[in-house]
Amino acid sequence: MYAGDEDRLDAAEQLTEHNPHAAAQALSAIACDQSVGDEVRLSAAEQLADLDPSAAGPACLAIAGDGAVGDEVRLSAAELLAGVDPQSAAPACLAIAGDGAVGDEVRLSAAELLADDDPRAAGPAWLAIASDAAVGDEVRQTAAEHLVTIDP
């Protein structure tokens, strides 16, 4: 039916003018499909956020919580989610910050994104980073400093 991921995305884009509801469903399906490439999934989530921000949450969570997706794409999905529904971004940020396979700076960025909305909710993220011996000393120190500010 479709030659590849890009074709599916193109078809969904074409639906936006004629049938926005069907387009939103198609974009959500692409964004949540683990067999689709990372960048295409993120692009589908971005378009979904423009079309129907309330529907973008589950798509962004699916990307941000998928350990097989590249670190930066996961963070971008969490940032997108924070833009449309800041409170719903917490599980995405926690998933990234708590994932030891994610790069130190991306983990730190996810915790900072969470702290921007709710500093206390970022506590588990800061703790996960500060207590992970595999994380670089400077990043661990930064996380520990943030922990002290929320619970002196």
Side-chain angles (χ1 to χ4, degrees):
M1 183 174 204
Y2 297 109
D5 298 344
E6 293 287 340
D7 290 338
R8 286 178 66 193
L9 188 58
D10 290 343
E13 290 170 357
Q14 291 173 7
L15 279 173
T16 58
E17 289 182 32
H18 306 292
N19 190 342
H21 180 71
Q25 288 179 323
L27 290 167
S28 180
I30 293 166
C32 295
D33 186 343
Q34 293 178 325
S35 69
V36 173
D38 296 356
E39 294 295 333
V40 174
R41 288 179 72 186
L42 182 60
S43 181
E46 291 168 343
Q47 291 179 45
L48 182 58
D50 289 340
L51 185 64
D52 183 359
S54 65
C60 291
L61 279 172
I63 296 167
D66 186 344
V69 171
D71 296 354
E72 294 293 336
V73 172
R74 290 177 71 188
L75 182 61
S76 293
E79 291 169 342
L80 178 62
L81 182 55
V84 296
D85 186 0
Q87 291 181 330
S88 294
C93 292
L94 288 170
I96 296 166
D99 186 342
V102 172
D104 295 356
E105 293 299 326
V106 172
R107 291 176 72 185
L108 189 63
S109 294
E112 289 169 343
L113 181 62
L114 180 54
D116 287 345
D117 183 57
D118 184 355
R120 294 192 71 73
W126 296 129
L127 183 60
I129 296 167
S131 62
D132 186 341
V135 171
D137 292 342
E138 188 174 316
V139 172
R140 289 178 67 201
Q141 178 67 33
T142 300
E145 290 168 359
H146 282 285
L147 262 176
V148 170
T149 64
I150 59 171
D151 195 11

